[in-house]
Amino acid sequence: MDRRTFIKKAGLAGSGVAAASVLATPAIAQSMPKITWRCTSSFPKALDTIYGAAETMADFVKGATDGNFEIQVFAAGEIVPGLQAADAAAAGTVEIAHTASYYYWGKDPTYALGTAIPFGLNYRQQNAWFYYGEGNTLMNEFYGAQGLYGLPCGNTGAQMGGWFRKEINTLDDLKGLKMRIGGMGGKIIEKLGVVPQQIAGGDIYPALEKGTIDAAEWVGPYDDQKLGFNKVAQYYYYPGWWEGGPVLHALFNKAKWEELPKPYQMILDAACRAANADMMASYDYKNPTALRQLAADGAQLRPFSQEILEACYNASIETYDEINASNAMFKKIYDNQQAFKKDAYLWAQISEYTFDTFMMIQQRAGKL
């Protein structure tokens, strides 16, 4: 073979290798394309833990994709008001809403089951139901009809019962009380004479200060201290029976979610799980200190009476029966959740409850 023929053939072979390399590049790039999404939060930046869960999710996604998939997080009001976050995601105004599903229960009570319903699941039970039960599948059957796809992305754990200007000792003390209360809890407590108000987190303090409302619940000691509720209401009640383990969600525009490459969907799923665990750990670390500080500053801790709790529980069951009679999707998900809850509490009272009760007795005896 002469030199010219050799070079020609070698050149063709080299071109083939180069062509193959060029052809392979789009396949790699397609799995990790450059994407920038926007996430609107229902919460102000001042509430660093609850707002921060969205940033935690975004940081994990950016790091895992070497910056190729970037999610820009916007606080409530920067794009849309906090209580319109899910609407913005469904409409495609943004790709993600970081929000509490129960904010939208007025459109359909089924939304409440995605966050928390009165006397529902606690944090650990929520995770078990969503991840290993049928929670995520059932809720996304509902969300899908709203143009959304949801993943749990945060939890506060059992919340406090809120701040009251006066003591609440009997059922009569609730009558005519104007209270900011989220989700379906308002519908329940309305049966006992309370006038529920749906107010976004950043607007609660001025409403309580001006006397527009008589009481307000938000989350728990850490966030409540930041918002300064103890300065305008003295009595701090517990437990928040309407929010035993409220789940926050990353609600994605369904069409945008389905367009994502599979690796990005998996990374988002993992990032939401990480944010979910991180947020609960953060609250568990911060709340004890905040509670001690609130008490030192004059907050009066009060438990809801057994009479009030029993009345609220009975009103809850009555409400669920009413909704189940007219809303097939709510009933389907509620029945599934209830079946799991019965077994979950059977196990919890054998293990966690017994252990925790013993340790609390040691604490009160000064041994801890």
Side-chain angles (χ1 to χ4, degrees):
M1 181 182 299
D2 62 34
R3 184 172 63 87
R4 186 173 297 173
T5 304
F6 173 79
I7 291 172
K8 183 178 180 181
K9 288 185 176 181
L12 287 172
S15 298
V17 172
S21 299
V22 170
L23 288 171
T25 302
I28 297 169
Q30 191 173 14
S31 66
M32 285 287 182
K34 286 278 189 182
I35 296 177
T36 300
W37 274 12
R38 298 194 302 170
C39 172
T40 184
S41 173
S42 283
F43 314 104
K45 290 181 181 178
L47 298 177
D48 59 313
T49 305
I50 196 166
Y51 170 83
E55 291 190 323
T56 299
M57 170 193 68
D59 288 344
F60 274 105
V61 169
K62 185 175 182 179
T65 62
D66 198 23
N68 285 319
F69 189 2
E70 185 173 359
I71 297 171
Q72 300 171 340
V73 182
F74 296 87
E78 291 183 343
I79 297 179
V80 295
L83 299 181
Q84 295 177 22
D87 299 325
T93 304
V94 296
E95 290 80 12
I96 314 173
H98 185 240
T99 187
S101 177
Y102 69 7
Y103 287 159
Y104 316 99
W105 79 274
K107 296 180 177 182
D108 188 318
T110 310
Y111 273 107
L113 290 163
T115 302
I117 60 172
F119 300 100
L121 303 176
N122 66 22
Y123 165 70
R124 286 184 57 176
Q125 292 164 355
Q126 290 277 33
N127 281 346
W129 182 65
F130 268 102
Y131 294 142
Y132 287 93
E134 296 183 79
N136 216 39
T137 299
L138 289 170
M139 284 309 305
N140 275 313
E141 183 180 341
F142 170 73
Y143 290 143
Q146 322 304 318
L148 298 165
Y149 178 80
L151 291 173
C153 189
N155 200 304
T156 68
Q159 295 189 1
M160 291 292 284
W163 298 87
F164 293 74
R165 290 179 174 277
K166 64 177 184 177
E167 287 193 77
I168 305 298
N169 297 314
T170 68
L171 290 172
D172 285 340
D173 292 332
L174 292 173
K175 292 177 181 176
L177 192 86
K178 297 189 295 293
M179 181 179 182
R180 184 277 173 192
I181 180 169
M184 193 177 287
K187 183 176 180 64
I188 306 300
I189 207 166
E190 189 175 25
K191 289 179 178 288
L192 305 180
V194 171
V195 182
Q197 310 287 314
Q198 185 94 324
I199 303 174
D203 299 325
I204 299 173
Y205 182 94
L208 197 57
E209 183 181 36
K210 293 174 185 176
T212 307
I213 55 177
D214 306 305
E217 62 80 34
W218 177 239
V219 176
Y222 181 71
D223 282 341
D224 291 1
Q225 184 184 42
K226 274 180 167 286
L227 293 174
F229 296 148
N230 58 307
K231 298 174 184 177
V232 287
Q234 181 181 8
Y235 299 100
Y236 199 19
Y237 276 83
Y238 62 91
W241 45 264
W242 50 89
E243 294 181 286
V247 178
L248 297 182
H249 267 80
L251 292 177
F252 304 91
N253 177 276
K254 187 172 183 289
K256 289 292 185 180
W257 169 266
E258 291 172 348
E259 289 172 5
L260 276 181
K262 185 67 174 178
Y264 280 2
Q265 290 182 349
M266 294 298 291
I267 288 168
L268 263 173
D269 185 283
C272 286
R273 289 173 186 251
N276 189 35
D278 182 77
M279 182 174 158
M280 186 71 260
S282 181
Y283 273 123
D284 279 343
Y285 185 80
K286 295 169 179 174
N287 277 331
T289 300
L291 184 62
R292 284 196 299 271
Q293 291 172 346
L294 286 169
D297 289 340
Q300 301 294 309
L301 288 169
R302 297 286 189 274
F304 285 123
S305 69
Q306 192 66 22
E307 176 193 25
I308 289 175
L309 288 175
E310 288 285 354
C312 291
Y313 182 82
N314 292 336
S316 298
I317 300 304
E318 178 184 322
T319 300
Y320 301 144
D321 288 343
E322 292 168 358
I323 298 172
N324 284 335
S326 60
N327 190 318
M329 179 57 75
F330 182 95
K331 186 177 188 306
K332 178 180 180 179
I333 301 175
Y334 173 81
D335 287 349
N336 184 278
Q337 192 179 90
Q338 284 294 104
F340 168 72
K341 184 165 65 175
K342 291 177 183 178
D343 283 343
Y345 273 111
L346 178 64
W347 163 237
Q349 64 185 306
I350 297 297
S351 56
E352 297 291 330
Y353 178 79
T354 305
F355 176 77
D356 288 345
T357 300
F358 176 80
M359 293 305 296
M360 290 170 191
I361 291 171
Q362 306 315 301
Q363 180 191 42
R364 290 171 185 173
K367 297 179 181 180
L368 176 61

